[in-house]
Amino acid sequence: MVLESLAVGGAAVVSGVAGFFIAKKMEAANYEIHVAQARTKAKAIEHEAELILSSSNIKVKEAELEAKRKYEDRTITLKKEHSEKMLDLEKKERSYKDEFKKITKEREDLQLLQANANSLFEEGNQLKEEYNVKVNEALVVLERSSGLTQNEAKEIVLAKVEEQSRAEIAHTVRRLEEEAKQDIKRRVNYILAQATTRFAGEFAAERLINVVNIKDDELKGRIIGKEGRNIKTLEMLLGVDIIIDDTPNAIILSSFNLYRRAIATKVIELLVQDGRIQPARIEGIYEKVKDEFDQSLTEEGENIVIDLGLTKVHPELVKLIGRLKFRASYGQNALGHSLEVAHLAGIIAAETGGDVLLARRAGILHDIGKALTHETAGSHVDLGAEICRRYKEHDVVINAIFAHHGHEEPTSVESAAVCAADTLSAARPGARREVLESFLKRVQDIEDIAKNKPGIKQVYAINAGREIRVIANAKLINDDEAVLLAKEIAQEIESKVQYPGEIKVNVIREIRAIDFAR
């Protein structure tokens, strides 16, 4: 039992020793394997390092070559620029040398001229001294021969010279004045010709009636309405006379006020298209059309101001400019006339050295008062000046408003240009139209009203029937009665005569004292 145990223990010991040596051997083998692997990795790393080093050397060489190439290119560029600058400097140097030579030559010429001038000055002084000596000798001879002293002879000679000089001066002045008048006349004719040929206006075409065409005459009865309610409403709202007669398919609208007549035409056309004709409907369409017309007037004025190149025009003035479209004088549309005056005044101002834009501004505003004459009492001149003052317009504009009807003298080139342009626009053929018979009858009626007053000597209708000049007998009418007479004539004209705008009644009373000196 003990022997078996010893045998088992010995075997175990032998097995343990054998295992130890085997493990030792295996460990040595693994170590050699790891060493071999490490050596292989080291060689691989060494090879890779060699490759990297080789690549770095190649890049360094390439960088050196690139830097060398850039250095050479930059050197060539700088050399080229240096050569160009040197050539430019050489050119400038040659130019400066030539200029210096030229200046030196001119300086020498100036010195020579100065020397000649000094020499001539000295010669002149010598001649002056010789002249004085000769004059003194001549005076002595004159004194001896004429028995006059030197002062007396001098006074006689000077008086004769002065007399001759005055005659020559007067002749020269007259000649220059005549030449100046002729030159001014030619210049004025040229300016007016340039202005009129560069602007072509329209022919007068305004009338006192508008015609609304209708498809069926049955609509006339509907427009009149029951017991005339519709036509009364229309005439009250629109402010026009509506004439419904036997003219087929037509309704006639009559009024001096173009603005009201245009609105009335549009309202009736819309009523005819709609078919519903009653007072409430009439009022609604009238308000709508009136608002549209007011908006269109503002737009019209704005477009005109822009087309003329004007700035800072008050909105109320812009609206009044548009409203001139519905105002006419002697058949000539007021807006067309104002535009024509603005363009002509601008052309004239340009030819005479004036402010073109200011002349156009004064031209478009010179008749602005006509947009107010249907609603406000007073002449269009006073109304226009007042409205322009209210909205801070230029003094030239206000002066042009007064001057174009002779209320003031023009104070500037622009005002004078507006006056000339207004005359051209109104006087050119086709600008205005008026039936001769009606015009003559109106003038005759106005004169007859004044002639029928007691104490009147003579009556003249002037300014195309816009003014009546009444000459009163000073022995029969005193100053207070002359004032009353003017009022009576004006009131009678208002009640008996139909006329556009206003008529000025001017009663004149004077006493002339005459005597003779014998």
Side-chain angles (χ1 to χ4, degrees):
M1 190 73 174
V2 173
L3 289 174
E4 288 178 359
S5 300
L6 290 172
V8 172
V13 170
V14 173
S15 298
V17 171
F20 173 77
F21 282 109
I22 291 170
K24 194 76 174 174
K25 186 100 172 178
M26 290 178 65
E27 183 179 352
N30 288 334
Y31 174 76
E32 289 177 359
I33 291 170
H34 285 305
V35 169
Q37 290 177 350
R39 286 176 181 170
T40 302
K41 287 182 180 180
K43 288 181 180 179
I45 291 169
E46 183 180 0
H47 181 67
E48 187 176 355
E50 289 176 355
L51 291 174
I52 291 170
L53 181 62
S54 175
S55 176
S56 299
N57 291 334
I58 292 170
K59 289 182 178 179
V60 168
K61 290 180 180 178
E62 289 178 351
E64 289 177 353
L65 290 172
E66 181 67 19
K68 186 176 180 181
R69 184 181 62 77
K70 289 183 178 180
Y71 172 77
E72 291 175 352
D73 292 344
R74 183 60 178 165
T75 302
I76 292 170
T77 302
L78 291 173
K79 286 181 178 179
K80 185 177 179 182
E81 291 178 356
H82 176 73
S83 299
E84 291 175 353
K85 288 183 178 179
M86 288 300 294
L87 289 172
D88 187 38
L89 288 173
E90 289 176 358
K91 288 180 181 178
K92 288 182 178 180
E93 185 179 4
R94 287 195 297 269
S95 176
Y96 292 151
K97 287 180 178 179
D98 294 340
E99 191 68 25
F100 181 74
K101 290 179 180 178
K102 185 178 179 181
I103 292 171
T104 303
K105 181 69 169 57
E106 290 178 353
R107 184 178 178 183
E108 292 175 354
D109 293 341
L110 286 173
Q111 290 176 349
L112 181 60
L113 288 173
Q114 186 176 4
N116 292 334
N118 292 334
S119 175
L120 290 172
F121 182 73
E122 291 176 358
E123 291 178 4
N125 287 333
Q126 292 176 1
L127 290 172
K128 187 176 179 180
E129 292 175 359
E130 293 177 2
Y131 170 76
N132 290 331
V133 171
K134 295 293 185 183
V135 169
N136 291 330
E137 292 176 356
L139 290 173
V140 171
V141 172
L142 285 172
E143 285 183 19
R144 292 174 180 173
S145 60
S146 63
L148 298 173
T149 65
Q150 181 176 342
N151 291 332
E152 290 173 346
K154 188 184 295 184
E155 289 176 0
I156 293 171
V157 172
L158 289 176
K160 188 66 176 176
V161 169
E162 182 180 359
E163 183 181 351
Q164 292 178 351
S165 298
R166 289 185 64 185
E168 292 178 0
I169 291 170
H171 176 72
T172 304
V173 167
R174 287 188 61 188
R175 179 176 57 81
L176 292 176
E177 284 181 351
E178 194 64 29
E179 290 178 357
K181 288 179 182 178
Q182 295 297 326
D183 185 63
I184 290 171
K185 188 175 181 180
R186 285 193 298 269
R187 179 66 177 164
V188 168
N189 290 335
Y190 169 77
I191 292 171
L192 294 179
Q194 286 292 309
T196 52
T197 54
R198 288 166 62 182
F199 186 85
E202 298 178 351
F203 285 86
E206 298 296 346
R207 300 172 298 172
L208 297 180
I209 62 170
N210 280 13
V211 178
V212 179
N213 295 316
I214 57 177
K215 296 181 180 179
D216 190 353
D217 282 345
E218 291 181 1
L219 288 171
K220 292 182 179 179
R222 296 173 62 185
I223 290 173
I224 294 171
K226 186 177 181 180
E227 298 179 356
R229 285 183 297 179
N230 291 343
I231 195 169
K232 288 178 182 177
T233 303
L234 285 168
E235 289 185 336
M236 181 182 66
L237 280 177
L238 303 177
V240 301
D241 293 329
I242 301 176
I243 302 170
I244 299 177
D245 53 16
D246 295 335
T247 306
N249 301 328
I251 298 172
I252 298 172
L253 307 178
S254 175
S255 174
F256 280 111
N257 193 318
L258 302 183
Y259 179 65
R260 291 179 183 174
R261 206 164 73 229
I263 291 178
T265 302
K266 186 66 176 178
V267 168
I268 293 178
E269 287 177 349
L270 291 176
L271 287 171
V272 169
Q273 292 176 4
D274 184 58
R276 294 175 293 170
I277 305 175
Q278 53 185 344
R281 184 64 178 165
I282 291 170
E283 292 178 3
I285 291 180
Y286 168 73
E287 293 297 332
K288 179 182 177 183
V289 171
K290 188 174 181 300
D291 291 341
E292 291 177 354
F293 265 69
D294 289 341
Q295 181 63 30
S296 68
L297 293 182
T298 302
E299 293 176 358
E300 183 83 20
E302 290 173 349
N303 293 333
I304 289 169
V305 168
I306 292 171
D307 291 342
L308 292 176
L310 307 181
T311 57
K312 297 181 180 179
V313 180
H314 195 278
E316 286 300 322
L317 291 177
V318 172
K319 187 175 180 180
L320 290 176
I321 290 172
R323 196 165 185 177
L324 287 174
K325 182 178 180 180
F326 297 103
R327 184 72 168 83
S329 178
Y330 298 99
Q332 186 179 30
N333 183 270
L335 181 57
H337 167 68
S338 297
L339 275 171
E340 190 171 348
V341 170
H343 287 295
L344 290 172
I347 295 169
I348 294 171
E351 293 288 343
T352 53
D355 187 332
V356 175
L357 290 179
L358 184 56
R360 288 180 183 172
R361 191 183 195 96
I364 196 65
L365 294 174
H366 83 287
D367 269 346
I368 196 68
K370 287 185 177 179
L372 301 168
T373 52
H374 283 310
E375 290 79 16
T376 308
S379 72
H380 77 279
V381 174
D382 295 330
L383 293 173
E386 180 184 349
I387 197 79
C388 287
R389 281 200 189 101
R390 185 186 306 167
Y391 297 121
K392 311 297 182 186
E393 276 297 326
H394 199 284
D395 291 339
V396 169
V397 175
I398 296 170
N399 176 245
I401 292 173
F402 282 118
H404 83 281
H405 274 303
H407 293 210
E408 289 182 1
E409 289 297 322
T411 58
S412 63
V413 172
E414 294 80 12
S415 297
V418 171
C419 295
D422 179 68
T423 303
L424 287 174
S425 176
R428 66 175 176 81
R432 296 188 173 185
R433 181 190 67 188
E434 184 168 6
V435 179
L436 181 61
E437 292 80 2
S438 63
F439 170 74
L440 293 176
K441 185 177 183 304
R442 185 171 75 223
V443 170
Q444 187 65 46
D445 291 343
I446 293 170
E447 289 183 347
D448 290 342
I449 288 173
K451 286 178 181 177
N452 292 331
K453 298 295 179 182
I456 302 302
K457 293 171 63 177
Q458 293 173 321
V459 178
Y460 304 100
I462 62 175
N463 196 12
R466 295 179 181 179
E467 180 179 351
I468 180 171
R469 189 164 294 173
V470 182
I471 310 299
N473 189 333
K475 294 180 180 179
L476 301 177
I477 297 176
N478 59 30
D479 292 341
D480 295 334
E481 291 172 343
V483 175
L484 294 175
L485 181 63
K487 290 184 178 295
E488 290 176 0
I489 294 172
Q491 290 173 357
E492 191 168 348
I493 290 173
E494 286 180 4
S495 62
K496 295 183 178 180
V497 182
Q498 294 290 329
Y499 54 90
E502 66 176 14
I503 296 174
K504 179 181 178 182
V505 179
N506 191 1
V507 176
I508 301 172
R509 173 184 177 273
E510 64 177 359
I511 297 177
R512 297 185 182 183
I514 302 173
D515 202 349
F516 298 93
R518 296 183 176 87

